[in-house]
Amino acid sequence: MASITLENLAHSYHPNPGGDDDFALKAVNHTWEDGRAYALLGPSGCGKTTLLNIISGLLTPTRGRVLFADEDVTASSTVARNIAQVFQFPVVYDTMTVEQNLAFPLRNRGMEASYVAERVGRIADMIGLQADLKKKARGLTSDLKQKISLGRGMVRDDVNAILFDEPLTVIDPHMKWELRTQLKSLHREFNHTMIYVTHDQTEALTFAEKVVVMHEGRVVQIGTPKELFETPAHSFVGYFIGSPGMNFVPVSVAGNNARLGDETMKLTHDYGHPNGDLKLGIRPEFISLTKGVGLPVRINRIQDAGRHKFINAVLFDTEINIAVDASFQIETDMTNVILDPDKVSIFCDDWRIDAQSAGKKDGGVT
Amino acid sequence: MEKTVNQRAWFLVIPVLILVAFSSIIPMMTVVNYSFQDTFGGNDFFWVGLEWYRELLHSERLWDAFGRQLLFSSIILSIEVPLGILVALSMPKKGISASICLVLMSLPLLIPYNVVGTIWQVFGRADIGLLGRTLSDLGISYNYSQNAFDAWATVIAMDVWHWTSLVALLCYAGLRSIPNAYYQAAMIDQASRWSVFRFIELPKMRGVLMIAILLRFMDSFMIYTEPFVLTGGGPGNTTTFLSIDLVKMALGQFDLGPAAAFSLMYFLVILLISYVFYTVMITAEKDEVQS
């Protein structure tokens, strides 16, 4: 096991890539620390799978290097890297039984029969396939097949990392929870480095210690779920994490004064005089609806979502969402909002700026 | 809701019935008719019952031809199937080279059967043929019209040349339909090349392979034109397969009764073997799904 370092990694599916747009993956620098559980979060087509395939050696990057500990493995084969990977859709060996499927990666490495039997038994227990071991893999349902794929990914205990590429897409919702819990306990037990690709934020936030958010071929932020929620480094993170996502309102900033429409709001920090396309970002949870105090809004509609109510309103020509408790009584004369100044973020050209680096344009993690 | 019973609907199938009657039922029944009768000049028919069938079932000539036919089909299947798989595996997967390969592979399939026979007949001739001349210049005695072994080798080589592409193209189609994730998973699982073939490619090609084997079996079992042009069934009777024998009997000797009985039995044998084959294929598939 070792840490995995990506150095200036870029990949293009074009034979002769020209501009930035030709790259599915644009300049990624990142170290996956040994033994951590990461989630790689981003919308479909943002380069997550490309990144995984480069780590496992299924793809050779156009530029940059991949290091395991200090060893350059950019040119090494998948076999030499000894990595496990589980794909989005089930891949099983049709003619084999469930047991043979699970044992396959071990047998290929020439492990002893007693060790193979022990590992297979253990993994089958974990993913709940003990009763199906002797069945042919071919006739099984797709969620059972995906469990086999998961099992094959976890059966080797000497791998450098286990990569999961949206592995629970075809699994029933209640099984998803259970399997994710199993994966976590497996992680605690063996301390494999795990990278879990998903576009489902709940999955990412519950699985991982650190979440890596990707957007258009770039890593835009790496952080704990809390950091992503409270201090998104890029407007995309704000928008992508949380449901509904962060609200963005055009703003102009001078020192610690923010001007929204024709009203001024005090900020808790001094941001200097930033130039560029400025937006104020605030989560729906940190806006409160009031009578007469604060900024004027016009309410469009109210949605009841069980524990919360979501209010869709217009603040200076911008649509915003406000989240309130289900028990909160909304009255007709509540036409103002107060934005919690502690929870306000200022974004300049989509990147969050913080008070310390006031005036700097690019405050994000790259 | 009650269904309305309207027998007039039967009239709608009349055109098809007429077509089928003229194209298969009547000709077939004519053959059946011949097989139970003896004919003399002037269209005199004489009922003989099962006489022709009995005679043929005890005819050494027919059994010999049947044996040769089985041997021929097994040999070409055991060459063409593995060879076709091998060719399909080594064909380029995409790009212009794949298209060129596909066109080249289809060429033998587009050549008329008797032209194939003629090509090989000339090709193998010791005086002017490229193959025959080369072999005799190398000091290897080769003469497909005199030597039974040479005749067999040439007929088999010709069939392999003509039909391996069919197997290869079918297998190629099967291989192309395997999602890339299977190969990726195999790489992750550190499977050897042989394992990839054994556990991914072969199982996924199963369906098309079955079709290829069935087609090649039926075709080779009915082969007529190519060996007829090449060897005419000779030397002696060594390459006389069932259909060559049948034509000899029907048109050479004009024994219409026995020939009719012969064709019906021939037809039933092919039907039977194909049916058995098909059933085995289908049940094997079902078993696999259920178990």
Side-chain angles (χ1 to χ4, degrees):
Chain A
M1 286 186 233
S3 65
I4 300 171
T5 308
L6 310 178
E7 252 183 40
N8 292 317
L9 204 67
H11 188 74
S12 171
Y13 289 101
H14 295 266
N16 301 303
D20 238 16
D21 284 350
D22 285 350
F23 280 86
L25 209 60
K26 298 158 195 165
V28 174
N29 282 292
H30 181 53
T31 299
W32 311 88
E33 286 164 37
D34 186 19
R36 304 287 292 265
Y38 291 92
L40 190 53
L41 182 65
S44 304
C46 73
K48 295 171 301 198
T49 300
T50 308
L51 189 60
L52 272 206
N53 289 349
I54 288 174
I55 295 174
S56 62
L58 295 173
L59 268 181
T60 310
T62 315
R63 288 184 205 145
R65 300 200 299 161
V66 181
L67 306 167
F68 282 10
D70 296 321
E71 191 193 345
D72 187 343
V73 295
T74 317
S76 307
S77 68
T78 305
V79 173
R81 294 186 194 195
N82 198 16
I83 274 206
Q85 187 171 359
V86 180
F87 299 91
Q88 184 172 7
F89 294 104
V91 176
V92 296
Y93 303 104
D94 284 343
T95 51
M96 296 188 196
T97 61
V98 173
E99 188 174 22
Q100 288 165 334
N101 258 284
L102 294 177
F104 193 57
L106 296 175
R107 295 226 169 100
N108 287 333
R109 285 178 74 75
M111 300 292 183
E112 265 177 54
S114 59
Y115 172 77
V116 172
E118 188 247 308
R119 285 297 296 173
V120 168
R122 192 96 178 261
I123 294 296
D125 253 352
M126 217 177 82
I127 53 180
L129 281 178
Q130 198 63 271
D132 303 305
L133 277 180
K134 301 289 175 205
K135 282 190 190 162
K136 272 260 156 75
R138 183 178 193 168
L140 299 177
T141 57
S142 66
D143 61 332
L144 282 181
K145 283 185 180 174
Q146 186 64 349
K147 282 191 186 175
I148 298 176
S149 300
L150 272 170
R152 273 209 328 272
M154 302 184 296
V155 78
R156 286 181 279 161
D157 61 4
D158 61 342
V159 287
N160 279 314
I162 308 181
L163 315 179
F164 299 95
D165 191 355
E166 307 195 25
L168 304 183
T169 310
V170 294
I171 306 267
D172 273 353
H174 73 280
M175 266 317 288
K176 271 189 191 178
W177 183 261
E178 198 185 312
L179 282 174
R180 214 157 49 224
T181 315
Q182 298 277 22
L183 288 181
K184 276 195 103 161
S185 68
L186 181 93
H187 177 246
R188 272 195 294 273
E189 195 175 340
F190 290 104
N191 271 313
H192 287 126
T193 310
M194 287 188 174
I195 305 174
Y196 189 103
V197 163
T198 178
H199 62 250
D200 178 339
Q201 47 164 311
T202 326
E203 224 170 85
L205 301 179
T206 51
F207 175 78
E209 302 157 338
K210 286 250 178 176
V211 179
V212 179
V213 183
M214 285 188 73
H215 176 52
E216 291 180 345
R218 282 201 170 81
V219 172
V220 288
Q221 188 171 9
I222 301 158
T224 61
K226 189 167 184 282
E227 285 165 2
L228 297 181
F229 189 76
E230 291 186 350
T231 52
H234 187 273
S235 63
F236 172 76
V237 180
Y239 152 82
F240 198 67
I241 309 268
S243 172
M246 194 176 237
N247 297 304
F248 293 98
V249 186
V251 71
S252 57
V253 174
N256 56 356
N257 285 317
R259 196 157 178 81
L260 292 147
D262 43 18
E263 302 263 344
T264 304
M265 175 187 162
K266 276 270 179 252
L267 297 171
T268 49
H269 299 288
D270 187 344
Y271 288 91
H273 297 269
N275 287 318
D277 178 22
L278 288 182
K279 285 198 175 93
L280 180 148
I282 182 135
R283 296 244 169 231
E285 290 79 1
F286 304 129
I287 304 178
S288 37
L289 197 60
T290 59
K291 286 184 206 176
V293 204
L295 309 167
V297 290
R298 196 181 71 241
I299 293 179
N300 282 338
R301 60 181 177 273
I302 298 164
Q303 269 182 329
D304 199 332
R307 279 195 306 132
H308 294 283
K309 277 182 197 154
F310 295 116
I311 303 160
N312 183 274
V314 177
L315 172 69
F316 302 120
D317 301 330
T318 311
E319 259 191 52
I320 58 166
N321 289 304
I322 305 163
V324 294
D325 276 348
S327 55
F328 183 82
Q329 289 298 319
I330 301 165
E331 291 162 36
T332 47
D333 53 352
M334 287 182 164
T335 54
N336 292 74
V337 287
I338 293 177
L339 314 181
D340 183 346
D342 284 335
K343 307 291 187 184
V344 161
S345 302
I346 303 294
F347 293 86
C348 180
D349 294 331
D350 287 333
W351 293 96
R352 184 176 197 275
I353 47 178
D354 31 65
Q356 284 81 8
S357 65
K360 266 199 199 162
K361 223 174 138 182
D362 196 342
V365 184
T366 48
Chain B
M1 204 180 85
E2 192 118 334
K3 266 189 189 167
T4 39
V5 178
N6 188 344
Q7 301 292 0
R8 273 175 302 180
W10 288 107
F11 285 113
L12 296 176
V13 296
I14 282 182
V16 174
L17 273 182
I18 293 174
L19 213 66
V20 173
F22 275 93
S23 67
S24 34
I25 298 174
I26 296 174
M28 178 95 168
M29 290 320 288
T30 316
V31 177
V32 172
N33 193 31
Y34 273 113
S35 76
F36 291 111
Q37 309 200 47
D38 200 358
T39 49
F40 299 99
N43 248 3
D44 279 341
F45 284 88
F46 176 67
W47 179 262
V48 293
L50 291 174
E51 182 63 33
W52 298 133
Y53 290 91
R54 221 172 280 133
E55 195 182 300
L56 281 169
L57 282 176
H58 293 101
S59 133
E60 207 173 303
R61 168 183 166 183
L62 185 114
W63 282 108
D64 285 352
F66 184 69
R68 280 190 292 269
Q69 188 71 70
L70 274 181
L71 183 65
F72 175 74
S73 287
S74 349
I75 291 177
I76 65 106
L77 277 180
S78 61
I79 296 175
E80 285 173 18
V81 171
L83 189 62
I85 295 175
L86 216 64
V87 171
L89 285 174
S90 40
M91 273 169 74
K93 284 163 187 56
K94 54 183 176 215
I96 184 86
S97 50
S99 316
I100 292 173
C101 250
L102 287 175
V103 171
L104 286 179
M105 301 279 300
S106 322
L107 280 180
L109 302 176
L110 299 175
I111 300 175
Y113 294 18
N114 53 354
V115 176
V116 172
T118 314
I119 290 174
W120 278 82
Q121 204 220 20
V122 176
F123 189 47
R125 274 173 63 167
D127 50 351
I128 55 164
L130 185 62
L131 175 72
R133 188 63 192 270
T134 311
L135 285 176
S136 51
D137 283 359
L138 286 173
I140 301 163
S141 93
Y142 166 81
N143 189 334
Y144 64 79
S145 59
Q146 302 290 321
N147 180 303
F149 179 81
D150 292 352
W152 268 81
T154 315
V155 172
I156 286 164
M158 175 176 66
D159 198 80
V160 169
W161 178 85
H162 193 182
W163 289 112
T164 303
S165 342
L166 178 77
V167 182
L169 290 176
L170 282 167
C171 289
Y172 185 72
L175 282 175
R176 288 285 67 72
S177 70
I178 301 175
N180 205 20
Y182 280 83
Y183 293 107
Q184 295 186 329
M187 262 197 259
I188 295 287
D189 293 338
Q190 315 198 335
S192 60
R193 181 68 191 88
W194 167 250
S195 293
V196 170
F197 174 71
R198 169 72 187 75
F199 297 115
I200 297 175
E201 291 171 330
L202 201 57
K204 296 277 174 200
M205 273 195 295
R206 204 188 132 93
V208 283
L209 259 184
M210 289 295 175
I211 292 170
I213 293 174
L214 191 62
L215 278 178
R216 279 317 298 136
F217 170 76
M218 291 195 314
D219 262 1
S220 66
F221 209 77
M222 297 188 288
I223 193 167
Y224 173 74
T225 320
E226 300 124 292
F228 179 76
V229 173
L230 185 70
T231 63
N237 269 337
T238 47
T239 56
T240 300
F241 301 122
L242 284 173
S243 51
I244 295 181
D245 205 16
L246 174 62
V247 173
K248 274 185 190 164
M249 190 184 286
L251 302 178
Q253 301 153 227
F254 224 70
D255 284 336
L256 290 183
F262 188 164
S263 7
L264 286 175
M265 289 194 293
Y266 193 5
F267 168 63
L268 289 176
V269 165
I270 292 176
L271 201 66
L272 182 75
I273 299 181
S274 300
Y275 176 75
V276 168
F277 194 84
Y278 177 78
T279 316
V280 168
M281 204 164 105
I282 292 296
T283 38
E285 199 125 306
K286 264 192 207 145
D287 280 355
E288 197 125 327
V289 172
Q290 277 165 359
S291 66

